[in-house]
Amino acid sequence: MRLLIVEDEVRLAEALQRGLEAEGFEADLAFDGLDGLDKALAGEYDAIVLDILLPGMNGYRVCAEIRAAGNWTPILMLTAKSGEFDEAEALDTGADDFLSKPFSYVVLVARLRALVRRGSGPRPAPCQVGDLRLDPAARTCDRGGVAIHLTPREVDLLEALMSRPGEVVGKQELLDRVWGPDAGVDPNVVEVYLGYLRRKIDRPFGRDTLRTVRGVGYLLAAD
Ligand code: CA
C-alpha cells in the first residue's frame, strides 16, 4: 500500500514515514501544500495523510483541489486543533477522516487500514429524480442541465433522499447515514442542511421538491 504524507514538521513526517514503512506501507513525503497537491495528483496513492496547517496552501484547500480534480484517493486529515468545527470543515472539503494531534500511532495505522479498505469499494452510482441528477462519486449535480454546486455533506444528504424518491426518510436515519451514528451532532443540523439544499436544488428553479413531513421526516418528490 502506497501512502502520501503531507506534513511540514519534518521530524514528525519522517518519523511517520519510518513507522508506516515498518507496518508494510510505502510512504512518500511532501513538506508543503503545493508539493503535496502536485504529488497527490501525479501519484497513485492508496491514501493520503494531510496536515491542515501547511505552508504554501493549507490542508483544506489541498483537499478541495484534489477532489476538484476528480481524484478520490482516501484522505485522512491531521489537525492540531480539536473540536466539531474543524471536523465538520475537514469533512466538508472532501476529507474521509480526521485525526487530532497528538494522536496515537496505533490509531493512525488502524484508521489508514480502514480507509484503504473502504477506498477500494465501489463508488456510488449516479441517480436521477425527475430532472434532478446527482453523481455522488464525481460530486456533480444538475437540474435540467444547469450545474449545481454542492458540498460533500450536501451530496451525501441528497443522495440519501434520492435513493428513495417519494418516500419519507426519518431525521434520525439521515443523521446516522450522513453524519454517522456516533457523530453526537445536534439533530437540527439536518434541518439546516435541508435548507441549504432547498436554496440550491429547488428555489432557483421555482420548485418545491424537498418537503418536510412534520414529525416524520423528509421526502424528495419527483416533480
Ligand atoms: Ca503543520
Side-chain angles (χ1 to χ4, degrees):
M1 284 190 275
R2 210 163 151 233
L3 304 174
L4 174 64
I5 300 167
V6 189
E7 165 63 74
D8 59 312
E9 290 165 57
V10 175
R11 286 177 59 185
L12 173 59
E14 289 177 348
L16 284 177
Q17 184 183 40
R18 279 194 303 274
L20 290 167
E21 285 180 350
E23 295 285 335
F25 294 92
E26 275 179 70
D28 291 345
L29 299 181
F31 301 116
D32 67 69
L34 293 169
D35 187 37
L37 178 60
D38 283 349
K39 285 190 169 137
L41 296 182
E44 289 283 317
Y45 294 104
D46 295 298
I48 299 169
V49 178
L50 180 61
D51 191 26
I52 289 178
L53 297 174
L54 291 166
M57 181 186 276
N58 72 46
Y60 294 132
R61 274 200 56 207
V62 173
C63 184
E65 295 275 337
I66 290 170
R67 296 302 186 234
N71 182 312
W72 304 102
T73 307
I75 295 178
L76 174 73
M77 276 198 161
L78 300 179
T79 169
K81 303 173 277 183
S82 62
E84 278 181 5
F85 179 75
D86 293 315
E87 294 169 13
E89 193 166 359
L91 293 170
D92 275 350
T93 54
D96 299 276
D97 201 358
F98 59 88
L99 201 53
S100 297
K101 289 180 184 175
F103 50 82
S104 138
Y105 184 74
V106 174
V107 171
L108 174 69
V109 170
R111 295 280 193 91
L112 283 171
R113 290 199 195 285
L115 268 188
V116 171
R117 260 200 315 275
R118 264 192 272 153
S120 60
R123 287 280 163 194
C127 41
Q128 179 158 7
V129 176
D131 60 353
L132 183 68
R133 291 186 301 183
L134 176 71
D135 183 341
R139 289 180 177 155
T140 56
C141 178
D142 75 86
R143 188 181 281 287
V146 179
I148 300 169
H149 174 75
L150 300 177
T151 66
R153 188 83 70 182
E154 291 165 352
V155 168
D156 291 346
L157 184 56
L158 186 56
E159 188 200 358
L161 291 159
M162 287 181 81
S163 67
R164 284 153 59 187
E167 268 183 56
V168 180
V169 186
K171 184 188 269 190
Q172 190 61 45
E173 184 182 338
L174 291 172
L175 265 179
D176 290 348
R177 186 158 162 186
V178 177
W179 281 267
D182 308 313
V185 296
D186 184 337
N188 288 324
V189 74
V190 175
E191 190 65 42
V192 171
Y193 271 80
L194 280 159
Y196 296 156
L197 276 179
R198 286 192 183 100
R199 286 201 282 278
K200 292 182 175 182
I201 68 164
D202 275 349
R203 269 189 228 159
F205 303 92
R207 308 287 279 276
D208 174 29
T209 62
L210 201 48
R211 297 173 194 165
T212 302
V213 183
R214 280 212 192 283
V216 187
Y218 306 90
L219 72 82
L220 183 74
D223 49 7

